[in-house]
Amino acid sequence: MEVKKIPEVTLNSGQKMPVIGLGTAAIPLPPHEAFISIFIDAFEVGYRHFDTASLYGNEEPLGKAVAKALDLGLIKSRDKEDLIPLDIKGTWEAMEECYRLGLAKSIGVSNFGIKKLTKFLENATIPPAVNQVEMSPSWQQGKLREFCKQKGIHIALRWVYEQGASVIVRSFNKERMKLNLEIFDWELSQEESQKFSQIPQCRMYSGTQFVSENGPYKSLEELWDGNP
């Protein structure tokens, strides 16, 4: 099977990251064996960038899929209910240490607005290589993208790619996985690109589950840096 070569972006750490990754969140959660098969399909068609989190409950099957992909020769190995205060500074310092020790190739953040990034960069000795955020034709994040560009931080399909951002796609169907990698074979016309600027803007994910009187974010205004 032909493996699609995905373009890469060079991060401020010097490491390269594929501009398309596979999103792995799913409700309901498929059985682990089904997930492993899905991930192997993704490896076979060319994906090397996967977006996961402990909240998704699929880190174990992804790890097993990576091990299986190594055995199959699809990828190569590398050599080397209580609320607690949110210690972003301490967490980032630990991540910086992981980077210095070679335990992580690159380190980044997720869902940081301009206000959080500005305060964050005051203390960081290693700036984040990536800020993973929601971005689509209906939520274009122009100001945040420009801020990240100025700071050397990288952030739908072809449209997002043409904005200089990388993208997370989500389909567990192998044929659609392949189709999502075909965006590099064509370009939007100028007229098509202009139509995107006319789309009404609305955030798809509100983030209400992260707002609490007892947590670090008391309102959506605080969570999204005044841009809910």
Side-chain angles (χ1 to χ4, degrees):
M1 177 183 295
E2 181 182 358
V3 176
K4 188 76 173 183
K5 179 63 177 177
I6 301 176
E8 298 176 320
V9 62
T10 300
L11 305 176
N12 58 17
S13 61
Q15 298 294 330
K16 294 183 177 180
M17 181 183 76
V19 297
I20 290 187
L22 184 71
T24 66
I27 299 175
L29 191 69
H32 278 198
E33 288 304 316
F35 247 142
I36 292 172
S37 178
I38 289 167
F39 294 145
I40 291 298
D41 284 345
F43 279 120
E44 288 180 343
V45 301
Y47 287 87
R48 297 295 182 269
H49 174 186
F50 294 82
D51 171 41
T52 188
S54 101
L55 181 67
Y56 299 167
N58 57 23
E59 292 174 313
E60 181 180 342
L62 179 56
K64 289 182 177 178
V66 170
K68 187 173 181 179
L70 287 167
D71 291 340
L72 294 173
L74 298 175
I75 57 176
K76 296 180 180 179
S77 179
R78 294 189 299 181
D79 295 329
K80 12 186 166 175
E81 173 127 10
D82 289 335
L83 292 172
I84 59 175
L86 185 60
D87 185 10
I88 293 179
K89 182 175 181 292
T91 300
W92 187 253
E93 288 174 350
M95 292 173 68
E96 289 180 329
E97 184 63 16
C98 288
Y99 176 79
R100 294 188 186 97
L101 293 173
L103 300 176
K105 287 185 174 182
S106 303
I107 51 178
V109 296
S110 178
N111 291 317
F112 272 37
I114 294 175
K115 182 178 178 181
K116 290 186 182 66
L117 279 173
T118 300
K119 184 176 181 180
F120 179 84
L121 291 171
E122 292 175 355
N123 297 307
T125 58
I126 301 174
V130 170
N131 179 25
Q132 181 182 324
V133 299
E134 177 188 339
M135 178 182 169
S136 70
S138 62
W139 192 247
Q140 298 181 15
Q141 302 265 45
K143 292 181 180 179
L144 179 59
R145 283 191 287 114
E146 182 59 31
F147 180 87
C148 288
K149 182 178 179 180
Q150 293 175 1
K151 301 297 182 180
I153 303 171
H154 293 279
I155 339 200
L157 285 179
R158 180 72 205 187
W159 177 82
V160 172
Y161 176 60
E162 290 185 7
Q163 308 313 302
S166 54
V167 60
I168 298 296
V169 299
R170 191 180 74 82
S171 175
F172 296 155
N173 178 284
K174 191 172 185 179
E175 288 305 309
R176 289 182 186 146
M177 289 181 189
K178 293 165 65 176
L179 287 174
N180 284 334
L181 298 183
E182 292 180 2
I183 64 168
F184 309 109
D185 302 332
W186 55 280
E187 295 182 359
L188 292 167
S189 69
Q190 184 175 358
E191 181 182 359
E192 288 170 331
S193 296
Q194 289 176 343
K195 287 182 179 179
F196 282 97
S197 64
Q198 302 169 9
I199 298 174
Q201 298 296 288
C202 178
R203 187 187 294 277
M204 293 181 64
Y205 176 65
S206 68
T208 53
Q209 69 188 96
F210 297 107
V211 174
S212 170
E213 286 298 321
N214 300 315
Y217 306 118
K218 307 295 191 294
S219 68
L220 290 176
E221 289 279 338
E222 288 187 6
L223 178 65
W224 297 120
D225 289 352
N227 189 28

